[in-house]
């Protein structure tokens, strides 16, 4: 795949084609290139000292602000909890990685051979981070209006999917990402005593996050019960104030 520095004619041509295809324009191709530079690439290329992690941090903030503002303006009658619910799906790793693939960012990423051999170009976390880094880079390069326009073009169709109930509701993934991001730990799913005969058994599972236990969720198999428990945790956190603060989980951030 592409590993040339943005100063090379071939890499510059690739970046310009990307901009033309998706109707964005960077003043700095180096900044655009940096948004696609995974840390594994720098590890194998000592001449490259910077990766896209700082841009991802910035882009995450820009994305969150624009999506929140968009939802606030679009739905005047919806309460905070409902806006937070919609936002959590829009900015989830699953949604962002799908958008990243649709933009072809997997083919633009600069990464080390080891990471690429392990399937790095298709890893959801790497793809989602690359999209957030792109947003952060565009904000630095062209300002908040241009970055906001890019975010709106990306997320408006996803908002429509949520409203039509056509989005993927993977509550386990949502809870996992949230807890890892804000609490640097992970949820534990504890199986309880089931109900019913062996041929028609109902499984019961609780989602434990720090000192808090949510559920139990029920299902005809453990997977369904875990999803139900994760949904119970999700809805409880939303009711307490939204997926925006680790304090809701009563876990000290590290």
């Amino acid at each position: 795949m592409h590993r040339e520095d943005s100063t090379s004619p071939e890499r510059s041509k690739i970046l310009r084609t990307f901009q033309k295809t998706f109707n964005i324009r960077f003043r700095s191709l180096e900044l655009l290139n940096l948004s696609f530079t995974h840390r594994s690439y720098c590890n194998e290329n000592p001449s490259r000292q910077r990766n896209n992690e700082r841009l991802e941090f910035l882009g995450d903030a820009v994305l969150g602000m624009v999506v929140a503002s968009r939802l606030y303006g679009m739905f005047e009658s919806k309460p905070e909890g409902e806006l937070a619910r919609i936002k959590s799906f829009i900015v989830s790793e699953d949604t962002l990685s799908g958008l990243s693939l649709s933009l072809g960012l997997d083919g633009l990423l600069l990464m080390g051979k080891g990471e690429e051999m392990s399937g790095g170009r298709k890893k959801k976390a790497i793809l989602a981070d690359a999209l957030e880094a792109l947003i952060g880079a565009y904000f630095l390069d062209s300002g908040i209006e241009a970055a906001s326009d890019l975010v709106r073009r990306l997320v408006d169709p996803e908002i429509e999917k949520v409203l039509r109930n056509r989005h993927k509701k993977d509550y386990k993934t949502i809870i996992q990402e949230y807890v890892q991001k804000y609490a640097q730990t992970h949820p534990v799913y504890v199986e309880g005593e089931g109900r019913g005969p062996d041929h028609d058994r109902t499984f019961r599972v609780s989602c434990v996050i720090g000192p808090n236990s949510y559920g139990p969720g029920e299902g005809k198999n453990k997977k369904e019960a875990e999803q139900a428990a994760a949904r119970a945790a999700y809805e409880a956190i939303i009711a307490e104030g939204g997926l925006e603060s680790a304090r809701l989980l009563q876990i000290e951030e590290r």
Side-chain angles (χ1 to χ4, degrees):
M1 287 292 184
H2 311 303
R3 290 196 177 83
E4 300 88 354
D5 188 86
S6 64
T7 57
S8 74
E10 183 177 353
R11 182 65 177 175
S12 296
K13 182 179 180 180
I14 290 169
L15 296 175
R16 290 192 177 96
T17 299
F18 168 76
Q19 293 180 93
K20 184 176 181 180
T21 301
F22 294 101
N23 194 28
I24 59 174
R25 185 173 183 178
F26 273 75
R27 297 181 179 89
S28 170
L29 284 184
E30 181 59 31
L31 190 58
L32 174 59
N33 198 50
L34 181 61
S35 72
F36 300 137
T37 305
H38 189 257
R39 65 175 178 272
S40 62
Y41 181 79
C42 299
N43 292 339
E44 296 184 12
N45 295 271
S47 62
R48 293 298 299 266
Q49 298 298 316
R50 297 191 299 164
N51 59 50
N52 66 359
E53 290 179 349
R54 282 169 54 85
L55 290 175
E56 179 267 327
F57 167 79
L58 179 60
D60 174 69
V62 173
L63 174 67
M65 183 273 293
V66 175
V67 171
S69 177
R70 188 68 168 157
L71 295 176
Y72 185 88
M74 291 175 69
F75 308 113
E76 296 182 0
S77 63
K78 290 189 182 297
E80 182 272 342
E82 180 66 7
L83 296 179
R85 183 188 72 84
I86 298 173
K87 179 174 179 284
S88 68
F89 287 116
I90 301 304
V91 302
S92 69
E93 184 179 277
D94 194 63
T95 296
L96 296 182
S97 61
L99 289 171
S100 188
L101 282 172
S102 72
L103 292 173
L105 302 194
D106 54 324
L108 292 170
L109 285 168
L110 299 173
M111 62 176 52
K113 293 180 181 179
E115 184 65 60
E116 185 163 0
M117 290 294 290
S118 69
R121 292 187 184 278
K122 300 301 180 183
K123 290 181 180 177
K124 288 184 177 182
I126 291 177
L127 290 169
D129 287 350
L131 181 58
E132 290 181 332
L134 174 64
I135 293 168
Y138 204 37
F139 167 74
L140 289 179
D141 183 271
S142 301
I144 188 60
E145 289 300 324
S148 296
D149 178 67
L150 173 61
V151 171
R152 286 192 293 266
R153 284 194 284 137
L154 290 170
V155 305
D156 278 1
E158 301 304 317
I159 294 174
E160 185 65 23
K161 288 181 184 178
V162 174
L163 297 179
R164 293 185 178 184
N165 207 31
R166 294 179 178 175
H167 59 294
K168 183 179 180 181
K169 295 181 180 178
D170 185 347
Y171 290 99
K172 282 189 66 177
T173 298
I174 292 169
I175 289 297
Q176 178 82 10
E177 293 172 8
Y178 172 64
V179 174
Q180 286 181 336
K181 183 172 184 177
Y182 289 103
Q184 297 182 359
T185 185
H186 61 276
V188 177
Y189 293 91
V190 180
E191 184 176 356
E193 185 176 351
R195 296 188 292 108
D198 290 342
H199 68 278
D200 189 26
R201 191 166 184 78
T202 297
F203 290 83
R204 305 184 75 190
V205 174
S206 296
C207 178
V208 179
I209 305 173
N212 301 323
S213 179
Y214 301 94
E218 296 187 350
K220 289 302 180 182
N221 54 54
K222 291 181 182 179
K223 186 175 181 180
E224 287 183 3
E226 289 177 353
Q227 280 288 349
R231 179 171 183 170
Y234 172 87
E235 292 177 346
I237 293 171
I238 286 291
E240 293 178 63
L243 293 175
E244 297 298 326
S245 173
R247 290 191 299 273
L248 297 174
L249 300 179
Q250 300 178 8
I251 301 175
E252 182 179 358
E253 290 186 298
R254 299 174 184 175

